[in-house]
Amino acid sequence: MGPMGPAGPIGATGPKGETGAQGARGLQGPPGATGPQGNAGPQGPVGPSGSGSEYEDPAAFAGFTPTTYNGNAGGRHVMHARCAAAFPGSHLCHYFEYSLTNSAIDIPADGAWIDHSVISSGGGFQSGRASVSGCTTWIDTTEPAGTALVPSGSVIGNAACSSMKKLACCNGVPKKVFAGFTTAVRTGNLGGRPRANALCAAEMPGSHFCHAAEYLRAVSTTAVPAAGAWVDDSTATGGFPTAVRSYLGGCSTWMSSLDVDYGGSIRNNGSIETKVCNTSRPLACCM
């Protein structure tokens, strides 16, 4: 065989073949180094002014319920719940709370149910929700003793409790919060006020034994047990924002179960009364 000749010129490139199937995905590589922190964003807008005082409940009007009711709701907590269903976060106004809202909404021609208010006797015009209100705290239709707004914006206390009216609802958020009623029941001998606070905290961490004004301010929608519930005494009988726990409590400051001693109790309609201390009841607990 003779020697190989020189290589010939390269031929033209052939057409591109079809793309083959994708191969299996390879292993993920290690993460890269964290980049430098970015610049801070612009400052957000200033929020609305708040009140630093525990003793001020803001007043704001939510509206009148679309549904009408008579004066027998089954208790104040049901009236609060009806407002909350119509306007989430709202509760039944008391009159002076309503007056502080400066509402420009027309009052229904037939008026509207509203809770009763009380005025402090200590000077000025400090007011709060009354312990006992219209229709004997909203459980009766047989008497002319309902508290109602009238179209002029004033209030009457003799509305027929069988009449059907909308509810006046306020949505200012109270500074007091109701935690609940204890499952444990006790006579008026709670072991003293510190022990009463501890009983609440054991079942609802962070809570304490309510005093009456706290409970009234908290606009609870929780049904009160049939036997009622113990509540501590306040320095005022109504839900005054400045009312504090009384230096003397009921049942000789919660150390007596005698039937001749009395302690503060929440009735199952939401009003406050005093009851003999030999009966077992749950405790009302506030945050």
Side-chain angles (χ1 to χ4, degrees):
M1 180 183 292
M4 180 181 290
I10 297 174
T13 301
K16 183 177 180 180
E18 294 181 1
T19 302
Q22 181 173 338
R25 184 174 182 177
L27 298 174
Q28 181 173 336
T34 302
Q37 181 173 339
N39 296 327
Q43 182 173 331
V46 177
S49 298
S51 169
S53 173
E54 179 184 4
Y55 306 114
E56 294 177 20
D57 288 331
F61 187 62
F64 298 102
T65 58
T67 305
T68 61
Y69 305 94
N70 62 34
N72 182 2
R76 179 179 273 148
H77 67 281
V78 180
M79 297 291 256
H80 289 326
R82 286 172 174 174
C83 276
F87 308 102
S90 73
H91 55 268
L92 180 67
C93 301
H94 65 86
Y95 179 70
F96 281 107
E97 178 184 22
Y98 169 80
S99 68
L100 289 172
T101 69
N102 299 315
S103 171
I105 299 174
D106 287 340
I107 297 168
D110 294 332
W113 296 123
I114 195 166
D115 230 351
H116 194 63
S117 300
V118 286
I119 302 175
S120 171
S121 60
F125 295 96
Q126 182 190 94
S127 64
R129 191 179 304 271
S131 170
V132 179
S133 191
C135 296
T136 315
T137 317
W138 312 115
I139 59 169
D140 197 349
T141 58
T142 63
E143 57 179 271
T147 308
L149 282 175
V150 293
S152 66
S154 61
V155 66
I156 59 174
N158 61 348
C161 294
S162 59
S163 60
M164 304 295 289
K165 300 182 188 301
K166 297 182 177 184
L167 311 185
C169 303
C170 288
N171 59 0
V173 180
K175 296 292 181 70
K176 295 298 181 181
V177 176
F178 182 65
F181 299 104
T182 60
T183 56
V185 296
R186 300 283 194 280
T187 66
N189 185 357
L190 304 177
R193 186 174 269 158
R195 181 59 185 157
N197 288 331
L199 289 169
C200 279
E203 292 197 29
M204 288 155 272
S207 72
H208 58 265
F209 187 35
C210 297
H211 63 84
E214 278 186 304
Y215 174 76
L216 292 171
R217 288 176 64 192
V219 295
S220 170
T221 59
T222 303
V224 182
W230 294 123
V231 68
D232 214 354
D233 289 351
S234 301
T235 53
T237 56
F240 294 104
T242 54
V244 296
R245 195 180 303 274
S246 174
Y247 71 98
L248 289 178
C251 295
S252 299
T253 316
W254 309 110
M255 293 286 285
S256 172
S257 59
L258 299 177
D259 62 2
V260 294
D261 286 330
Y262 290 82
S265 177
I266 303 169
R267 294 183 65 194
N268 55 14
N269 65 7
S271 62
I272 309 296
E273 63 180 352
T274 56
K275 299 292 285 184
V276 292
C277 297
N278 63 344
T279 303
S280 293
R281 296 180 177 83
L283 282 66
C285 304
C286 291
M287 302 295 285

